[in-house]
Amino acid sequence: MDFNLHTVFPVEDRSYLALIKNKIKDIGQELLLGDTEIGKLNIIATELVTNLIKFGEHGREILIKPVVFSEVSGVEIVSIDKGSGAKDPVRMMEDGYSTAGTKGEGLGAIKRLSDEFDIYSQSTGTIVLARVFKKTKSLYPKTKEGFEVGGVMVAKIPETVCGDQWHYVTDDNGLSLAVIDGLGHGKEANEAAVEAINIYKENIKSETPDFIVDKIHSGLKKTRGAVGLIIHADNQKKNMIHCGVGNIGCKVISNYSMENAKSLILFNGILGLNVKRMNSTINIWDNTKTMVVHSDGLTSRWDLHKYPGILNRHPTIIAAVLYRDFNRRTDDITVVVARTKRAINYV
């Protein structure tokens, strides 16, 4: 099971809800979720689809994927639309409040049933994130990570596997992140990207980014090849070390001044085919910064400055906004957002 790959369901009418519920059931059964958790997810999906049909103007999608958080498995649902957005999303989550003359149970019910919930609604549309986890007394919740990470990864239609892959490890102070894009899309691109991630996992704890990238380069010689970026960030040392090859994009954004966003420089070449000498680069990192890493399925001209308050939202919400508004729609796409964990009370 690919825990990063979102399955996308365009929501043209209510008939798509049956497909969405079937996907929830398949993932839930594979993850051994109970009937209670699957039931909650079905209600959440029903409310989200209903809201999309009633209020979403265009670009209406539901994204679903399995998720593992602190060793506990669950299901993530992301609702996306383009339009005028909700005028008062906070009030809309109050019991009994309705903008359509109904009982007003939509967003409020979704929030109550979710183990994690967040929403971002502006004039460009609305993004809703809901997660439900398998209940295990000894494990949930259990959060010692010093970073919070979220992302959106979607295969190019009509592929069933994605030529992009990403993986991360985090602890009290550090984050190690890899984003890989196999050349092209489909099965061979996926094989190259998966092999690169496997090599990354074998070396993740003990080696520098440039050493890992070199290992990946050597290990991909029998594959189609890939581009990729490895990042090690440390809250205690207040630095970020990276090494990458090809057209993976990465910006480090200040939470207080987005005009000072810094783009990371990567080396030219293709991992597994032609790469010259590489070395790691060190930059400043602290808890005021957010990193956005993406494959070339996302256009490079995105600007979070146009989205008021976006950096206070869950990383997956930020990734979903970029996916919605800057998706080329001609390739696999991956957007990963990471930052130092903060005490944010999501709506």
Side-chain angles (χ1 to χ4, degrees):
M1 178 179 291
D2 190 336
F3 282 85
N4 289 322
L5 181 62
H6 282 92
T7 301
V8 180
F9 296 91
V11 179
E12 296 178 8
D13 54 57
R14 196 174 177 81
S15 66
Y16 286 79
L17 181 58
L19 297 175
I20 293 169
K21 287 185 175 181
N22 285 338
K23 185 64 177 181
I24 289 171
K25 181 180 178 181
D26 290 344
I27 296 175
Q29 289 180 341
E30 189 164 353
L31 296 177
L32 302 179
L33 267 64
D35 292 340
T36 300
E37 285 78 44
I38 294 177
K40 288 181 178 180
L41 287 161
N42 284 335
I43 295 173
I44 290 169
T46 300
E47 296 293 347
L48 288 173
V49 168
T50 300
N51 283 344
L52 285 177
I53 294 170
K54 286 183 178 179
F55 306 114
E57 297 176 16
H58 55 96
R60 300 178 296 194
E61 292 181 330
I62 293 287
L63 277 57
I64 298 178
K65 75 165 187 173
V67 62
V68 172
F69 181 70
S70 297
E71 302 177 14
V72 182
S73 56
V75 177
E76 173 180 289
I77 305 178
V78 180
S79 170
I80 296 173
D81 76 75
K82 292 183 178 180
S84 57
K87 293 182 179 180
D88 193 347
V90 175
R91 192 180 178 197
M92 286 175 66
M93 283 180 289
E94 296 176 357
D95 289 336
Y97 179 81
S98 173
T99 58
T102 64
K103 294 181 181 180
E105 297 174 346
L107 284 176
I110 295 168
K111 183 180 179 182
R112 287 194 306 274
L113 293 169
S114 301
D115 294 314
E116 286 189 72
F117 173 88
D118 195 17
I119 182 172
Y120 181 76
S121 189
Q122 294 291 332
S123 59
T124 51
T126 300
I127 309 284
V128 179
L129 166 68
R131 290 174 173 173
V132 174
F133 292 97
K134 180 179 179 180
K135 297 301 179 291
T136 306
K137 291 182 179 179
S138 62
L139 290 177
Y140 185 81
K142 179 182 176 182
T143 57
K144 291 184 178 180
E145 292 84 355
F147 285 76
E148 51 184 351
V149 184
V152 170
M153 186 176 88
V154 172
K156 179 182 183 295
I157 297 174
E159 303 291 352
T160 57
V161 296
C162 188
D164 295 349
Q165 290 290 308
W166 65 282
H167 183 77
Y168 76 96
V169 173
T170 182
D171 56 26
D172 289 349
N173 293 307
L175 166 74
S176 182
L177 169 68
V179 177
I180 305 293
D181 180 359
L183 294 190
H185 51 84
K187 183 174 181 291
E188 292 184 359
N190 174 262
E191 290 172 351
V194 168
E195 179 61 22
I197 290 295
N198 288 338
I199 296 169
Y200 165 74
K201 290 178 180 178
E202 292 171 358
N203 297 276
I204 189 172
K205 293 185 178 180
S206 59
E207 303 296 347
T208 59
D210 57 315
F211 181 92
I212 299 174
V213 171
D214 187 61
K215 282 278 192 179
I216 292 173
H217 174 53
S218 299
L220 295 189
K221 292 189 181 295
K222 294 183 179 180
T223 71
R224 175 180 289 189
V227 297
L229 173 63
I230 310 292
I231 295 174
H232 290 173
D234 193 299
N235 288 328
Q236 193 170 38
K237 296 179 181 178
K238 297 188 182 300
N239 67 19
M240 181 180 71
I241 307 171
H242 82 275
C243 182
V245 172
N247 56 351
I248 297 290
C250 180
K251 288 184 182 179
V252 179
I253 303 163
S254 168
N255 297 333
Y256 301 112
S257 177
M258 283 190 269
E259 290 83 355
N260 295 328
K262 179 180 178 62
S263 296
L264 300 189
I265 306 256
L266 278 67
F267 294 94
N268 293 324
I270 299 172
L271 295 168
L273 298 178
N274 60 309
V275 178
K276 296 182 179 179
R277 187 182 67 84
M278 298 168 291
N279 60 275
S280 294
T281 302
I282 301 178
N283 287 289
I284 296 173
W285 174 263
D286 58 48
N287 60 7
T288 69
K289 294 180 171 60
T290 298
M291 68 175 79
V292 179
V293 186
H294 60 87
S295 65
D296 66 346
L298 191 79
T299 66
S300 60
R301 296 185 177 181
W302 55 271
D303 181 6
L304 289 179
H305 189 249
K306 298 178 181 179
Y307 301 89
I310 188 67
L311 291 178
N312 289 325
R313 305 326 313 156
H314 191 284
T316 297
I317 291 280
I318 300 172
V321 166
L322 294 174
Y323 160 82
R324 180 192 66 188
D325 293 347
F326 299 96
N327 190 348
R328 295 183 190 274
R329 306 282 177 181
T330 58
D331 198 359
D332 305 314
I333 180 171
T334 296
V335 187
V336 181
V337 178
R339 65 180 175 219
T340 303
K341 194 173 185 64
R342 292 178 285 163
I344 294 177
N345 293 321
Y346 296 120
V347 173

